[in-house]
Amino acid sequence: MADRWWQAGILYQVYPRSFQDSDGDGIGDLPGILARLPHLVELGVDALWLSPIYPSPMADFGYDISDYTAIDPVFGTMADFDALLSAAHAHGIKVLLDLVPNHTSDRHPWFEESRASLHNPKREWYIWRDPAPDGGPPNNWLSEFGGSAWEFDPATGQYYYHAFLDKQPDLNWRNPAVREAMHDVMRFWLRRGVDGFRVDVIWHLIKDDQFRENPPNPDWHPGRPPAEKVIPLYTADRPEVHDVIAEMRKVIEEFDERVLIGEIYLPIERLVTYYGADLSGAHLPFNFALLNAEWHAETLARLIEEYETALPEGGWPNWVLGNHDRPRVGTRVGRDQVRVAAMLLLTLRGTPTLYYGEEIGMADVAVPPERVRDPYEKNVPGIGVGRDPCRTPMQWEPAPHGGFSTTEPWLPLAADFRQENVANQQDDSTSVLNLYRRLIALRRQNRVLTQGSYEKIAATGDILVYVRTLSGDRVLVALNLSGEPVSMALEGRATRGRVLVSAFGDRDGESVDGEIALRGHEGVVIALDRTPAGA
Ligand code: GLC
Ligand code: MG
């Protein structure tokens, strides 16, 4: 039975800068999250994952860490963190932190020592190489955020490697001292009561020890990120990374009931290797397949099938619709389809992760050039890689600054925040928020949805239909991916039942017999009648 909390539960990602500001600096913080905890309790989620809250120069908004075991003053204090942790726990909500082991800030004392001299004891904590014979970078490795991944350090005459910004030097994970230091960071937070980690770019941790050139990517074309000019054959997804992850997993296992989640952008067949040999890797390698999927019934059905088939024995699935790095689902599939997307996310087999704002159907916000904050957009402008649009403040109320802050927020609010916000949706039974609440409540109470098997029934045209089954109990999900009405005859064993949840909240309880008719952008979750014994 799959009933560990991170299997049956629902995860919710908070981007702390953008959830709730409590001290009027226009930036969200920990006391703000604490104040909004009732929203998460009402929503019914099981765990909160916080993007980084540690001291940071904020070159990459917290993904450049200068101290792994403290809280950045912009977010509050350690006492604020402890208060949030114990309040969340009091409501039965787990708290996960973002662990960023691949790189530190260039202002982390480890790096400051490392760059101080060729013979500093911390030199081998980072990846230093001599220049190429012509004085240029050691090889052709590229930074995800544009340009060479190598930065020259004039003081010591060597280059250091950075997979992201030059202000984010990569740690040398081949060095056991680095591993031990990071394990101690994990223990520091686990002892404090943290329930696990989402590990940043876990598939990047190990790079080729021979520093071989990455092959050119024949499919690259202008308009694609410059990092894609080469195939990251020698800089990511290296075989030795699995040993590193297994060691992290052992640290997690020193404590009860904690979870290890990995951020991994790879094709499904590579992704599933991150469960590790004999499940010694991540409990949940994040499955981002829906982030780029074409929104067509057949494509989705194929992708679900492919994932279900690729999972190793005992490997628990998971699904994600959005995060702080990718366009919001409301923009990708269109606002009209967010209900259908929610129904998909919350009825598939596997742990769902929600990204803050999805529950009110938030879409990307156009950020004017003078307000761009994301370093990726600044380095690689104009091709749409910017991540500010999906990081805008949570829309709470039809009040100044959306109830997020008492002052102009660090990123602009959506233009329509006075209509689209938690307070307005609260009282509207047809709102996206109330759909999320009903789906989550259903998922919490109906074990077919958390434990049942998955079987595709139909994926034709714009209609996607599948059934979840647990010891004879069956729940059927029918989704209309278009704006046109569709209908489908139900055949075989699955013909009669009762609607548990419908996209617009107006068909709950309706009986179904032989046919499902869906309005545009509608979906239904149906409890099928049990087949009579012997039938
Ligand atoms: C991950 C984070 C992203 C960050 C990058 C570098 O992909 O999700 O926000 O910029 O790692 O740390
Ligand atoms: Mg603040």
Side-chain angles (χ1 to χ4, degrees):
M1 264 302 123
D3 39 23
R4 300 188 57 186
W5 69 264
W6 50 267
Q7 295 178 309
I10 295 167
L11 316 182
Y12 184 100
Q13 179 189 0
V14 164
Y15 193 68
R17 293 181 73 86
S18 300
F19 202 59
Q20 177 66 49
D21 176 23
S22 74
D23 59 357
D25 64 355
I27 302 173
D29 44 50
L30 293 169
I33 300 171
L34 177 63
R36 293 298 187 180
L37 207 52
H39 171 69
L40 301 180
V41 174
E42 273 175 69
L43 191 58
V45 297
D46 298 85
L48 185 58
W49 147 37
L50 303 176
S51 281
I53 50 174
Y54 320 103
S56 164
M58 301 290 167
D60 192 20
F61 296 109
Y63 285 94
D64 50 320
I65 296 169
S66 53
D67 181 351
Y68 283 97
T69 53
I71 303 293
D72 193 285
V74 83
F75 297 123
T77 62
M78 193 60 90
D80 293 330
F81 176 75
D82 288 338
L84 174 61
L85 184 63
S86 61
H89 283 171
H91 287 289
I93 296 181
K94 311 275 186 187
V95 177
L96 310 179
L97 290 184
D98 213 310
L99 185 73
V100 188
N102 181 70
H103 44 268
T104 67
S105 162
D106 62 341
R107 309 279 293 282
H108 194 293
W110 296 342
F111 188 70
E112 288 179 341
E113 285 177 51
S114 185
R115 80 187 317 175
S117 83
L118 288 170
H119 308 291
N120 187 282
K122 292 250 165 25
R123 189 68 173 180
E124 299 304 318
W125 281 45
Y126 292 83
I127 302 171
W128 292 98
R129 299 290 285 170
D130 287 333
D134 68 354
N139 66 20
N140 74 345
W141 293 358
L142 297 177
S143 156
E144 291 294 316
F145 289 160
S148 170
W150 296 99
E151 180 71 13
F152 188 62
D153 183 53
T156 55
Q158 284 191 316
Y159 284 84
Y160 66 86
Y161 176 75
H162 57 91
F164 296 90
L165 297 174
D166 55 0
K167 293 185 164 67
Q168 293 169 296
D170 279 44
L171 283 161
N172 173 16
W173 273 84
R174 293 182 185 275
N175 183 345
V178 166
R179 299 185 187 198
E180 272 160 40
M182 203 58 70
H183 295 164
D184 284 342
V185 167
M186 294 172 72
R187 291 188 187 102
F188 173 89
W189 292 107
L190 293 167
R191 277 192 204 111
R192 236 181 160 86
V194 162
D195 300 285
F197 300 99
R198 171 270 191 188
V199 184
D200 192 62
V201 296
I202 203 168
W203 85 113
H204 273 258
L205 293 178
I206 292 280
K207 303 52 154 137
D208 184 40
D209 53 1
Q210 297 167 53
F211 297 89
R212 283 170 281 190
E213 299 263 313
N214 275 330
N217 174 5
D219 297 331
W220 184 84
H221 56 86
R224 292 300 305 165
E228 292 180 9
K229 285 180 185 168
V230 295
I231 295 166
L233 183 62
Y234 293 112
T235 40
D237 194 26
R238 301 301 304 160
E240 306 97 304
V241 76
H242 297 289
D243 301 333
V244 170
I245 299 171
E247 285 178 13
M248 285 184 175
R249 171 67 178 269
K250 282 203 184 118
V251 176
I252 288 282
E253 301 294 341
E254 291 169 16
F255 299 79
D256 287 339
E257 287 293 300
R258 313 299 162 100
V259 70
L260 188 67
I261 303 176
E263 184 206 20
I264 300 148
Y265 285 93
L266 286 174
I268 285 174
E269 77 275 8
R270 297 297 317 147
L271 170 69
V272 295
T273 65
Y274 284 76
Y275 286 97
D278 302 321
L279 304 183
S280 59
H283 291 108
L284 301 175
F286 260 148
N287 167 17
F288 295 136
L290 289 176
L291 292 182
N292 322 306
E294 264 183 276
W295 208 245
H296 293 137
E298 232 190 291
T299 320
L300 293 180
R302 218 180 310 121
L303 180 159
I304 297 164
E305 202 80 45
E306 199 194 326
Y307 181 60
E308 284 276 352
T309 312
L311 287 169
E313 171 105 37
W316 185 251
N318 75 91
W319 295 95
V320 177
L321 282 179
N323 62 35
H324 64 293
D325 294 325
R326 295 293 161 122
R328 282 186 178 271
V329 64
T331 295
R332 287 191 338 264
V333 305
R335 274 215 159 130
D336 291 336
Q337 274 288 307
V338 296
R339 287 182 174 77
V340 169
M343 297 181 93
L344 179 71
L345 177 73
L346 292 163
T347 60
L348 283 174
R349 195 177 78 89
T351 307
T353 301
L354 272 61
Y355 180 51
Y356 85 94
E358 273 172 12
E359 73 274 32
I360 55 167
M362 265 172 75
D364 281 3
V365 175
V367 174
E370 69 278 8
R371 291 199 63 177
V372 166
R373 303 294 303 268
D374 181 14
Y376 192 9
E377 175 67 26
K378 287 184 178 174
N379 285 3
V380 182
I383 61 164
V385 295
R387 301 169 296 175
D388 294 326
C390 68
R391 297 175 175 178
T392 60
M394 181 67 176
Q395 299 155 209
W396 295 106
E397 295 151 32
H401 311 298
F404 165 74
S405 179
T406 52
T407 189
E408 184 59 34
W410 75 290
L411 283 174
L413 275 144
D416 62 356
F417 79 85
R418 283 180 193 275
Q419 289 76 53
E420 299 302 335
N421 56 61
V422 172
N424 285 358
Q425 292 197 13
Q426 182 102 11
D427 308 320
D428 171 3
S429 66
T430 69
S431 68
V432 174
L433 178 60
N434 279 309
L435 173 63
Y436 265 94
R437 287 186 181 155
R438 289 197 308 278
L439 284 167
I440 292 173
L442 177 66
R443 198 179 166 100
R444 292 183 79 100
Q445 144 241 309
N446 190 318
R447 285 172 58 83
V448 179
L449 289 177
T450 49
Q451 315 286 323
S453 62
Y454 165 92
E455 186 196 343
K456 180 189 91 174
I457 300 292
T460 37
D462 292 316
I463 190 166
L464 175 63
V465 184
Y466 48 89
V467 70
R468 304 283 313 277
T469 306
L470 181 71
S471 47
D473 288 325
R474 291 172 303 152
V475 170
L476 180 130
V477 179
L479 305 172
N480 180 357
L481 308 188
S482 81
E484 301 302 318
V486 290
S487 69
M488 203 189 87
L490 291 175
E491 286 157 6
R493 299 178 308 130
T495 60
R496 299 169 68 140
R498 189 175 50 84
V499 174
L500 295 171
V501 172
S502 62
F504 304 106
D506 54 357
R507 294 178 64 178
D508 304 20
E510 191 180 294
S511 10
V512 174
D513 191 354
E515 191 191 17
I516 318 173
L518 297 174
R519 293 169 287 180
H521 306 299
E522 190 172 42
V524 287
V525 182
I526 296 168
L528 293 174
D529 293 350
R530 281 186 78 102
T531 323

